[in-house]
């Protein structure tokens, strides 16, 4: 049984069914989920039936595609409704997206006198002493640590102390803060996330996942959709990991778990605009944007790991803002190629997506989501208009911003833990000279030289042979010296790296959508040329960074749990290497993380006491956030012009507190 064939189940339904099981049945739940996944299913309208055995049927009633009530899952076995089958079916099915928030808003609590909480207090006395910090009284459970008293390091982690200047703030003028109910919901989220770190992927079965789902449901009711969404992401990734999904990546689960823990921590300290960002929003609303004059840039195919396919067409406004028009639905690369020649669903325009990428639109009554997607409501009117070349205004202005500044903005828009406001994109617009192919462990990429002498590696965005990316990149490798305008998507790395999406035609006539249009050898300046390989390249500013030693421990914790990390032995050699690489904070974090993982206190009778899961989670969160911040800084530094002082580089914005 494929989980994708089951209807989505509301998080509170799954949590309620699991919580209703007896302790004996909870122990059998994971085995029941695995057994149920092998049974045949069939759908009839809104009802999906699973054949538990030859005589027993399990039914999921999902009006609208979502099982919204406990009563909508029924079983005909003798133990029903207290059987394990209902809970197993809910755990095997995908978790439904969050419903809209309740209309009532939580009443902000009047903040009382507050003072800055020193980093040592966040860690707790024992943890603070282990890092050589001054010890101060701790405040509140589930807080995240600052690994060092160094101001710059704390800023990189987003753990700067929060101080309230007025001892008795007036309620009418006070910024928004979390209510007691929101803080309680955040504590539950923290505890559920810490339990995942304690157990690791193998131990985070259906019971642990149900605790996350219950916490997500409670957070939604308390108007904390960002944290609730992070909890659902953790559940989805845990299920993918345990099912052996080939698209699963441990780094994705690290990001989701750090987002969950960090956001839960920030609920208790944020206020004003930061609190609004910490709360987040359930859905991305479309807001009116009046009349727009749009100019086509390019069209890219979209093929997802979940089996969806389609296209996304990028257009720019007269002021340089970027917008997208998409058509993505279940289907693979074949659907993406077919949809490219279908009419755009926007107003009365008869343009196909391919045509829109080179033409223009005049839109009235436009609606736009925060991330730039154009709405296609009934009130939207759109007619075909003249497009412009990339070398003409207003599109030409996109290529005038220095690459380092573009990379800094793209990093902000793709940052793993940023408080995104929907502005910006991860696209870069560059003038390049092709240098040839470069062999890498994972394959071959195209090397190009852009402004300031920066060498950038260009790779394919999708290696599916049905798409044109791979063949086009191979042909461009046979045209060293060609000068092109390109559009690419930033890949965060310790060296400049992009996925190549579109470029000007090598002959100088028109543009090429590299995932859809196929270049021919006759299009090259020298049709007889073969692929040219550039000489080996030196590593970028972070090419030899030992940061991966800490990143590896962070990922190992997620995969195997706290206890397994504590058994990995002495890390003195690793910390010595990290310090030699100029990362003393990373070395201190690795030491503290490993010590916390191995630490187990005993009572007066020699019995092991429960592990300090909160303290370990705090260390892990600091390590995860630190590695992300340093990686982004190394990526930004790699885009500096070769003759530029690194101190003059536009900084990457430091985002948020410990979330």
């Amino acid at each position: 049984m494929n989980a994708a064939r089951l209807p989505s189940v509301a998080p509170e339904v799954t949590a309620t069914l699991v919580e209703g099981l007896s302790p004996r049945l909870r122990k059998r739940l994971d085995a029941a989920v695995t057994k149920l996944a092998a049974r045949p299913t069939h759908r009839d309208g809104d009802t999906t039936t699973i054949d538990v055995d030859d005589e027993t049927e399990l039914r999921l009633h999902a009006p609208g595609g979502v099982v919204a009530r406990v009563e909508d899952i029924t079983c005909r076995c003798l133990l029903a409704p207290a059987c394990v089958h209902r809970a197993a079916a809910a755990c095997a099915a995908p978790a439904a997206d969050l419903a809209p928030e309740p209309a009532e808003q939580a009443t902000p609590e009047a903040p009382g006198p507050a003072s800055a909480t020193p980093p040592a207090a966040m860690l707790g006395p024992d943890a603070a002493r282990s890092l050589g910090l001054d010890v101060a009284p701790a405040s509140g459970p589930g807080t995240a640590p600052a690994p060092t008293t160094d101001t710059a390091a704390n800023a990189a982690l987003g753990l700067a102390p929060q101080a309230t200047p007025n001892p008795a703030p007036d309620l009418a003028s006070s910024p928004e803060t979390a209510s007691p109910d929101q803080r309680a919901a955040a504590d539950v989220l923290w505890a559920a996330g810490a339990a995942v770190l304690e157990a690791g992927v193998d131990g985070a079965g259906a019971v642990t996942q149900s605790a996350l789902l219950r916490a997500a449901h409670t957070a939604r009711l308390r108007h904390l959709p960002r944290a609730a969404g992070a909890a659902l992401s953790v559940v989805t990734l845990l299920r993918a990991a345990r099912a052996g999904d080939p698209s699963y990546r441990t780094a994705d689960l690290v990001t989701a778990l750090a987002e969950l823990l960090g956001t839960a921590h920030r609920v208790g300290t944020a206020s004003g605009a930061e609190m609004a960002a910490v709360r987040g929003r359930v859905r991305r609303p479309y807001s009116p944007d009046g009349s727009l004059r749009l100019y086509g840039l390019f069209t890219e195919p979209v093929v997802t790991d979940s089996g969806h396919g389609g296209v996304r067409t990028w257009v720019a406004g007269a002021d340089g803002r970027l917008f997208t028009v998409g058509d993505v639905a279940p289907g693979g690369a074949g659907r993406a190629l077919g949809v490219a020649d279908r009419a755009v669903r926007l107003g009365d325009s008869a343009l196909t997506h391919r045509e829109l990428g080179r033409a223009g639109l005049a839109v009235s009554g436009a609606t736009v989501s925060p991330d730039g997607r154009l709405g296609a409501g009934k009130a939207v009117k759109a007619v075909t208009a003249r497009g412009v070349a990339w070398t003409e205004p207003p599109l030409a202005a996109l290529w005038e911003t220095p690459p380092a500044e573009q990379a800094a903005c793209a990093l902000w828009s793709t940052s793993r833990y940023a408080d995104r406001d929907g502005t910006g994109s991860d696209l870069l617009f560059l003038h390049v000279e092709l240098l040839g192919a470069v062999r890498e462990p994972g394959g071959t990429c195209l090397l190009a030289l852009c402004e300031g002498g920066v060498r950038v590696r260009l790779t394919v965005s999708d290696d599916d042979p049905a798409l044109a990316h791979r063949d086009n990149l191979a042909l461009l490798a046979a045209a060293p010296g060609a000068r092109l305008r390109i559009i690419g998507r930033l890949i965060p790395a310790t060296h400049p790296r992009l996925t190549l999406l579109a470029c000007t035609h090598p002959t100088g006539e028109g543009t090429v959508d590299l995932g859809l249009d196929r270049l021919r050898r006759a299009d090259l300046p020298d049709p007889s040329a073969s692929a040219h390989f550039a000489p080996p390249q030196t590593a970028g500013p972070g090419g030899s960074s030992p940061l991966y030693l800490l990143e590896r421990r962070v990922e190992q914790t997620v995969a195997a749990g706290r206890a397994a990390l504590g058994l990995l032995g002495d890390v003195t050699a690793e910390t010595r290497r990290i310090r030699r690489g100029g990362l003393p904070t990373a070395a201190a974090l690795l030491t503290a993380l490993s010590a916390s993982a191995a630490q187990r206190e005993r009572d007066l009778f020699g019995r092991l006491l429960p592990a300090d899961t909160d303290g370990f989670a705090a260390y892990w969160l600091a390590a995860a956030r630190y590695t992300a911040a340093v990686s982004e800084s190394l990526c930004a530094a790699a885009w500096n012009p070769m003759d530029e002082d690194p101190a003059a580089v536009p900084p990457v914005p430091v985002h948020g507190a410990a979330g």
Side-chain angles (χ1 to χ4, degrees):
M1 177 185 67
N2 189 338
R5 296 173 55 190
L6 296 179
S8 299
V9 178
E12 62 271 24
V13 171
T14 303
T16 300
L17 288 172
V18 174
E19 290 163 359
L21 294 177
S22 66
R24 180 180 64 85
L25 290 181
R26 287 192 187 188
K27 294 179 180 179
R28 295 171 50 191
L29 181 56
D30 288 327
V33 172
T34 302
K35 182 178 180 180
L36 206 62
R39 301 302 301 169
T41 65
H42 52 90
R43 179 173 297 183
D44 182 11
D46 292 335
T47 301
T48 299
T49 302
I50 305 173
D51 297 328
V52 177
D53 54 39
D54 294 339
E55 299 178 355
T56 306
E57 287 185 345
L58 179 67
R59 294 183 177 179
L60 294 83
H61 182 59
V66 176
V67 178
R69 303 181 307 163
V70 173
E71 296 80 10
D72 290 337
I73 302 181
T74 58
C75 182
R76 295 186 177 181
C77 74
L78 296 177
L79 296 179
C83 63
V84 74
H85 302 132
R86 298 170 69 217
C91 292
D97 291 336
L98 293 172
E101 293 182 35
E104 300 82 4
Q105 293 295 323
T107 303
E109 179 190 20
S115 59
T117 302
M122 292 182 180
L123 288 168
D126 295 335
R129 291 191 187 98
S130 70
L131 288 176
L133 304 182
D134 295 331
V135 178
S139 61
T143 54
T148 175
T149 54
D150 179 74
T151 303
N154 282 340
L157 283 169
L159 293 173
Q162 302 290 324
T164 303
N166 299 322
D170 178 62
L171 179 60
S173 60
S174 296
E176 179 188 4
T177 57
S179 69
D181 284 346
Q182 288 177 325
R183 292 193 182 99
D187 288 342
V188 175
L189 284 166
W190 174 277
V196 174
L197 284 178
E198 178 71 14
V201 168
D202 290 340
V207 174
T208 301
Q209 294 167 24
S210 73
L212 280 166
L213 293 173
R214 173 62 70 191
H217 176 61
T218 303
R220 181 188 69 83
L221 296 179
R222 300 294 182 264
H223 311 287
L224 297 172
R226 176 174 175 178
L232 289 185
S233 296
V234 171
V235 171
T236 300
L237 289 166
L238 282 174
R239 290 177 175 177
R242 292 172 62 85
D245 189 332
S247 65
Y248 166 77
R249 295 174 62 250
T250 302
D252 293 336
L253 183 53
V254 168
T255 298
L257 195 52
E259 168 73 4
L260 169 62
L261 292 171
T263 305
H265 161 66
R266 292 175 64 190
V267 168
T269 60
S271 62
E274 183 188 355
M275 183 59 196
V278 171
R279 284 186 66 251
R281 58 182 67 181
V282 174
R283 304 188 188 282
R284 295 176 174 175
Y286 285 82
S287 58
D289 207 341
S291 298
L292 297 173
R293 178 65 168 91
L294 304 175
Y295 303 88
L297 279 166
F298 71 100
T299 300
E300 63 170 321
V302 177
V303 180
T304 70
D305 292 331
S306 61
H308 288 67
V311 295
R312 182 188 299 116
T313 299
W314 290 80
V315 296
D319 57 357
R321 283 191 299 161
L322 299 180
F323 304 90
T324 60
V325 182
D327 184 349
V328 180
R335 186 181 189 277
L337 295 174
V339 169
D341 294 313
R342 294 183 189 174
V344 174
R345 299 174 183 173
L346 194 65
D348 301 323
S349 171
L351 291 173
T352 66
H353 281 274
R354 285 182 191 265
E355 293 169 342
L356 177 58
R358 296 173 174 84
L361 278 179
V363 183
S364 62
T367 58
V368 184
S369 72
D371 60 354
R373 291 177 294 170
L374 291 169
K378 295 181 179 179
V380 178
K381 306 296 181 183
V383 295
T384 303
R386 185 183 70 88
V388 299
W390 288 1
T391 55
E392 301 175 21
L395 298 186
L398 296 171
W399 279 265
E400 294 176 0
T401 304
E405 293 184 23
Q406 292 191 52
C409 292
L411 268 175
W412 172 243
S413 70
T414 60
S415 180
R416 284 176 274 182
Y417 310 113
D419 294 333
R420 298 180 182 86
D421 56 5
T423 60
S425 79
D426 55 358
L427 299 185
L428 270 68
F429 302 82
L430 304 177
H431 298 271
V432 301
E433 177 184 344
L434 302 183
L435 300 179
V438 172
R439 291 187 176 92
E440 294 183 325
T444 301
C445 68
L446 180 60
L447 188 68
L449 185 68
C450 68
E451 181 181 339
V454 176
R455 294 171 181 256
V456 55
R457 288 173 170 85
L458 307 175
T459 66
V460 298
S461 62
D462 195 310
D463 203 38
D464 192 315
L467 303 177
H469 292 292
R470 187 172 58 183
D471 294 339
N472 285 337
L473 195 76
L475 276 176
L476 291 175
R483 296 178 180 272
L484 307 173
R485 291 187 181 220
I486 66 169
I487 302 176
R489 177 168 288 115
L490 178 71
I491 300 176
T494 56
H495 56 269
R497 194 176 188 87
L498 300 176
T499 54
L500 188 57
L501 302 173
C503 68
T504 51
H505 199 281
T507 64
E509 299 178 0
T511 60
V512 181
D513 296 337
L514 290 166
L516 300 172
D517 304 327
R518 289 192 179 272
L519 290 170
R520 297 173 299 176
R521 188 164 294 278
D523 295 325
L524 301 181
D526 182 3
S528 63
S530 58
H532 173 78
F533 284 87
Q537 303 299 307
T538 58
S544 58
S545 171
L547 183 68
Y548 76 92
L549 295 172
L550 178 59
E551 290 177 323
R552 182 177 62 183
R553 298 301 190 191
V554 168
E555 293 192 358
Q556 286 173 339
T557 302
V558 170
R562 178 199 57 79
L565 184 67
L567 296 175
L568 292 178
D570 185 32
V571 295
T572 303
E574 295 179 18
T575 56
R576 187 182 301 115
R577 182 176 175 185
I578 292 174
R579 290 184 187 279
R580 287 201 302 266
L583 298 172
T585 300
L589 278 170
L590 178 56
T591 300
L593 182 66
S594 300
S596 179
Q599 183 179 10
R600 289 295 301 272
E601 302 292 341
R602 294 181 180 271
D603 62 14
L604 296 176
F605 299 98
R607 295 171 298 191
L608 281 174
L609 296 174
D612 181 12
T613 57
D614 284 346
F616 177 75
Y619 279 122
W620 182 90
L621 174 60
R625 291 297 311 274
Y626 175 85
T627 55
V630 174
S631 295
E632 290 170 8
S633 297
L634 292 173
C635 179
W639 283 90
N640 298 337
M642 300 301 291
D643 57 350
E644 183 175 307
D645 180 3
V649 178
V652 178
V654 174
H655 40 77

